[in-house]
Amino acid sequence: MISASILAAALRAAADVLDGAAPPALVASTPAFTAPAPAPAPAPAPAPVVAEPPIPTGITQDDITNLIMPHVPNPAIKEAFGVAMRALGINNLPETPPHMNGHLYAAFQKVLATFGIGADAPAPTPAAPASII
């Protein structure tokens, strides 16, 4: 613990040094006070990597319609669907290019998840076997 007399002497010495008038003997004889170094802050934990679910394949317009129709009467969900569509560059659901169906379906699933509603992707439609003839 630092006594009042040591602290006063240190303050006088510091003031003298700042004024340029401190004799070297006084500065050397005054015990130096150094504050303990603060403990280093712990490194923040890395954010967990949340893998995006895979984009479902084989999704049709009917699959999308079946996913969203029960929720369209809710204005908040309907608006969120519109925001998700526009984020993908789709302005009108019937004009969705077929290659975007899976992306749109996944976006709509995320919207429903934000409202606490879960929905699984339908089972992929098996492709018709190619004829070898």
Side-chain angles (χ1 to χ4, degrees):
M1 181 157 174
I2 298 177
S3 69
S5 62
I6 293 174
L7 182 59
L11 289 174
R12 277 191 299 275
D16 288 341
V17 169
L18 290 174
D19 291 337
L26 179 61
V27 174
S29 67
T30 306
F33 173 74
T34 58
V49 176
V50 178
E52 287 289 324
I55 301 298
T57 58
I59 300 295
T60 65
Q61 284 283 331
D62 289 338
D63 295 327
I64 295 171
T65 302
N66 291 336
L67 175 68
I68 66 171
M69 285 312 290
H71 310 288
V72 169
N74 181 324
I77 295 176
K78 183 177 179 180
E79 177 62 28
F81 285 154
V83 169
M85 278 179 32
R86 288 186 292 280
L88 291 172
I90 301 167
N91 293 320
N92 192 358
L93 187 60
E95 297 171 3
T96 304
H99 72 277
M100 291 296 293
N101 284 345
H103 295 279
L104 188 58
Y105 193 92
F108 285 165
Q109 284 182 313
K110 286 182 186 177
V111 167
L112 292 174
T114 61
F115 286 92
I117 301 167
D120 293 328
T125 307
S131 172
I132 59 171
I133 301 177

